């Protein structure tokens, strides 16, 4: 956990620093009176101190900053101090480094350069204190809801426990799966992902377990299944709720016996994998309605990680929007400052039914189309039709689960012109389960 102390007698500087740093570090403490430095250092722990060199008694020589740097290092010899000033020069920078400062920053600062300087000074602690705690796979979040997710990932990753990741579409279930793999003892081996929903039902069994030449009409050669592919590593079954009864039964046998039999063969092969599964469906309801095997359900969810929808991740929307802004302005070489205050307000008001995926697409589109110096509400929401925005907001006015489920089914049926098979696939249900719900809601 990275804790930053910022000392400057200019309250505007303190406010600007906190606005930036609170998005990237766990604790940011502000102090405008340098005389309180000894008290703060003797009573609290800080990983880095950002210290102004010029206070009211000595406007621009930097001598006060050097004085306080000496006192800080007397109290905490290993303290990491970065100095900043509006009147800096090379000579002053060299002197501050010789006196023990980690680095030197000129005001007004460039946000990215300031963060880079602080992270370099923090070293490994910057990674540990990052709000994302998941830099390798870009899981970003500082909200309480996401901290619980990060804590669970940290506790579970090094084990071989089967994990079931739940959450709406676009919440980042695949990133969680990859994070679990990256933090596991299997990280040097393969991470193999299978999107069950994207496979034709007739090919799922072959894709998972493999087949031998001649096993069926198009089996022109032997094929290794994903279980064998992932040997020694992690197998991620996305949208596992879409498996039919036959494949569910075979999957259960594989998990119980830790061996797989290719289609058309009697030979078994030992498999050593860590299984992670994910679904956006209400899998417990599927178990109750006997659409998903209860024994398989217990087998795949030794640990369950439930990802919150973006609308419930208080504080993370702005954080993610800034991440995507930086990502796409670099990609498209656009000179954009940041997010306008009005945009931040609108971002937090909009319910984001498509979650992170929708937010990313909206920011990318806005970066491409924007002609201003910073991203505005008009850039992001101007290209969305009023009807789509109103529909998204209306969608979440009712929190009655049955009403939401009925509305979702009606929308899906309209989308596929009443095609039951396509609608069921979209909803992550079997045809039988969809018919039962249609009868229940008199659709």
């Amino acid at each position: 956990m990275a804790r930053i102390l910022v000392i400057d007698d200019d309250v505007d500087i303190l406010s600007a620093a906190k606005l930036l740093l609170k998005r990237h570090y766990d604790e940011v403490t502000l102090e405008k009176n340098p005389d309180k430095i000894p008290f703060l250092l003797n009573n609290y722990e800080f990983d880095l101190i950002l210290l102004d060199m010029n206070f009211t008694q000595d406007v621009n020589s930097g001598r006060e900053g050097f004085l306080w740097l000496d006192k800080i290092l007397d109290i905490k010899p290993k303290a990491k101090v970065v100095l900043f000033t509006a009147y800096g020069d090379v000579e002053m920078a060299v002197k501050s480094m010789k006196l023990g400062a980690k680095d030197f920053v000129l005001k007004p600062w460039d946000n990215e350069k300031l963060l880079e300087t602080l992270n370099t000074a923090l070293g490994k602690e910057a990674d540990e204190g990052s709000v994302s705690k998941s830099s390798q796979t870009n899981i970003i979040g500082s909200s309480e809801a996401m901290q619980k997710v990060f804590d669970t990932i940290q506790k579970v990753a090094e084990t071989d426990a089967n994990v079931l990741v739940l959450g709406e579409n676009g919440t980042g279930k695949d990133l969680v799966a990859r994070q679990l793999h990256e933090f596991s003892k299997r990280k040097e081996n393969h991470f193999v992902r299978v999107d069950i929903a994207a496979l034709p039902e007739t090919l799922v069994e072959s894709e998972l377990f493999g087949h031998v030449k001649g096993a069926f009409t198009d089996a022109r050669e032997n094929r290794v299944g994903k279980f064998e592919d992932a040997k020694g590593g992690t197998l991620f079954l996305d949208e596992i709720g879409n498996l039919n009864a036959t494949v569910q039964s075979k999957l259960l046998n594989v998990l119980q016996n830790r061996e797989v039999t290719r289609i058309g063969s009697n030979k078994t092969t030992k498999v050593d994998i860590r299984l992670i599964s994910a679904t956006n469906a209400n899998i417990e309801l599927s178990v109750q309605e006997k659409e998903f095997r209860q024994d398989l359900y217990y087998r795949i969810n030794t640990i369950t990680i439930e990802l919150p929808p973006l609308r419930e991740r208080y504080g993370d929307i702005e954080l993610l929007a800034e991440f995507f802004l930086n990502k796409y302005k670099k990609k498209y070489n656009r000179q954009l400052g940041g997010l306008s205050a009005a945009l931040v307000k609108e971002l937090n008001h909009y319910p984001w039914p498509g979650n992170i995926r929708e937010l990313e697409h909206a920011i990318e589109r806005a970066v491409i189309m924007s002609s201003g110096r910073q991203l505005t509400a008009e850039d992001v929401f101007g290209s969305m039709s009023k009807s789509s925005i109103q529909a998204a907001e209306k969608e979440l006015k009712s929190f009655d689960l049955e009403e939401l489920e009925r509305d979702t089914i009606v929308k899906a049926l309209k989308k596929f012109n009443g095609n039951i098979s396509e609608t069921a696939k979209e909803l992550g249900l079997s045809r039988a389960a969809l018919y039962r719900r249609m009868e229940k809601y008199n659709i």
Side-chain angles (χ1 to χ4, degrees):
M1 183 173 73
R3 296 153 295 191
I4 312 294
L5 171 61
V6 185
I7 306 163
D8 195 302
D9 59 350
D10 187 329
V11 293
D12 290 333
I13 292 294
L14 291 178
S15 297
K18 184 169 186 179
L19 187 63
L20 172 66
L21 300 181
K22 71 178 182 179
R23 301 167 186 159
H24 300 274
Y25 304 102
D26 294 284
E27 292 182 16
V28 180
T29 301
L30 307 179
E31 181 52 62
K32 68 176 185 177
N33 183 359
D35 291 330
K36 293 186 179 179
I37 289 176
F39 171 81
L40 289 169
L41 295 184
N42 285 317
N43 289 276
Y44 302 96
E45 292 294 326
F46 300 101
D47 298 301
L48 185 141
I49 300 164
L50 189 55
L51 174 69
D52 187 26
M53 295 191 70
N54 301 295
F55 295 93
T56 52
Q57 294 180 23
D58 182 13
V59 179
N60 60 12
S61 74
R63 282 179 293 183
E64 265 196 298
F66 292 138
L67 173 66
W68 284 113
L69 175 62
D70 282 340
K71 288 188 177 181
I72 288 171
L73 294 177
D74 281 342
I75 300 170
K76 298 282 185 180
K78 294 183 179 181
K80 297 174 180 178
V81 183
V82 173
L83 299 173
F84 59 19
T85 179
Y87 301 92
D89 57 21
V90 175
E91 184 178 343
M92 192 177 292
V94 172
K95 183 177 179 180
S96 68
M97 300 286 280
K98 287 181 178 179
L99 290 173
K102 291 292 183 183
D103 214 329
F104 183 96
V105 178
L106 295 177
K107 294 188 290 187
W109 62 76
D110 174 270
N111 285 351
E112 290 187 10
K113 288 183 179 179
L114 175 59
L115 291 172
E116 183 180 350
T117 299
L118 299 187
N119 286 340
T120 300
L122 283 164
K124 288 182 67 176
E125 292 174 18
D127 291 333
E128 293 168 3
S130 165
V131 294
S132 74
K133 298 185 180 178
S134 311
S135 58
Q136 291 178 332
T137 50
N138 293 329
I139 305 180
I140 295 171
S142 61
S143 62
E144 184 178 349
M146 286 306 295
Q147 291 305 320
K148 292 178 181 178
V149 171
F150 295 143
D151 289 342
T152 303
I153 290 174
Q154 189 174 28
K155 291 175 182 176
V156 174
E158 290 190 357
T159 74
D160 266 349
N162 294 334
V163 179
L164 176 62
V165 186
L166 303 176
E168 296 178 7
N169 282 328
T171 50
K173 297 186 290 295
D174 56 333
L175 292 183
V176 170
R178 290 181 185 277
Q179 190 68 75
L180 287 165
H181 175 72
E182 289 297 328
F183 286 174
S184 76
K185 297 174 182 177
R186 297 173 177 269
K187 63 183 178 181
E188 301 302 326
N189 296 315
H190 290 169
F191 174 88
V192 178
R193 177 179 181 268
V194 183
D195 186 351
I196 305 297
L199 292 173
E201 193 169 316
T202 54
L203 294 181
V204 173
E205 189 176 347
S206 172
E207 189 74 11
L208 292 179
F209 311 125
H211 63 253
V212 297
K213 183 179 179 180
F216 46 86
T217 304
D218 293 324
R220 297 185 177 88
E221 58 186 17
N222 292 340
R223 178 182 175 86
V224 174
K226 297 303 184 184
F227 268 91
E228 291 181 73
D229 238 358
K231 186 177 181 180
T234 301
L235 178 63
F236 174 44
L237 300 184
D238 200 3
E239 300 306 340
I240 194 171
N242 287 57
L243 290 177
N244 65 35
T246 300
V247 180
Q248 285 182 38
S249 178
K250 292 193 174 184
L251 175 58
L252 179 63
N253 286 330
V254 170
L255 296 177
Q256 287 175 335
N257 301 321
R258 290 288 162 177
E259 57 185 27
V260 66
T261 304
R262 296 185 189 179
I263 299 173
S265 173
N266 294 320
K267 181 182 177 182
T268 60
T269 302
K270 291 291 184 182
V271 291
D272 172 26
I273 59 101
R274 197 265 185 89
L275 181 70
I276 302 174
S277 309
T279 181
N280 67 342
N282 186 339
I283 196 166
E284 288 189 354
L285 183 60
S286 297
V287 170
Q288 292 173 18
E289 297 185 343
K290 303 190 184 305
E291 294 296 331
F292 197 90
R293 293 182 63 124
Q294 186 177 59
D295 45 5
L296 177 59
Y297 172 63
Y298 290 143
R299 179 70 64 172
I300 65 174
N301 80 330
T302 305
I303 301 293
T304 298
I305 297 177
E306 190 158 1
L307 286 177
L310 185 55
R311 60 185 173 273
E312 294 178 7
R313 292 173 54 176
Y314 305 112
D316 286 350
I317 295 176
E318 181 181 355
L319 199 65
L320 285 159
E322 287 182 339
F323 173 80
F324 293 134
L325 171 61
N326 289 328
K327 174 182 176 180
Y328 288 111
K329 73 180 185 182
K330 288 178 182 176
K331 179 178 179 179
Y332 298 114
N333 194 28
R334 302 302 304 275
Q335 298 299 316
L336 285 166
L339 310 172
S340 72
L343 172 56
V344 171
K345 183 178 180 179
E346 289 298 318
L347 289 173
N348 287 317
H349 175 71
Y350 183 70
W352 301 107
N355 292 296
I356 300 170
R357 190 176 296 132
E358 181 185 6
L359 174 62
E360 179 174 5
H361 289 169
I363 297 297
E364 180 179 12
R365 182 175 58 242
V367 168
I368 293 171
M369 300 303 295
S370 175
S371 56
R373 298 182 64 182
Q374 65 177 178
L375 221 56
T376 67
E378 181 65 24
D379 292 327
V380 175
F381 294 99
S383 57
M384 293 185 187
S385 67
K386 288 185 178 180
S387 59
S388 66
I389 295 174
Q390 290 169 352
E393 293 175 344
K394 181 181 178 182
E395 184 175 347
L396 295 171
K397 283 184 179 178
S398 170
F399 290 91
D400 183 279
L401 293 177
E402 290 193 349
E403 185 178 335
L404 289 172
E405 184 174 53
R406 186 187 189 283
D407 288 346
T408 301
I409 292 172
V410 170
K411 289 175 184 175
L413 284 166
K414 286 182 180 178
K415 178 179 178 181
F416 295 103
N417 297 315
N419 186 303
I420 298 297
S421 296
E422 291 296 324
T423 301
K425 183 178 180 180
E426 177 78 1
L427 295 172
L429 300 171
S430 67
R431 287 169 56 90
L434 177 56
Y435 275 126
R436 281 197 295 272
R437 285 168 172 77
M438 291 172 66
E439 183 177 354
K440 175 183 178 181
Y441 298 124
N442 193 28
I443 297 173

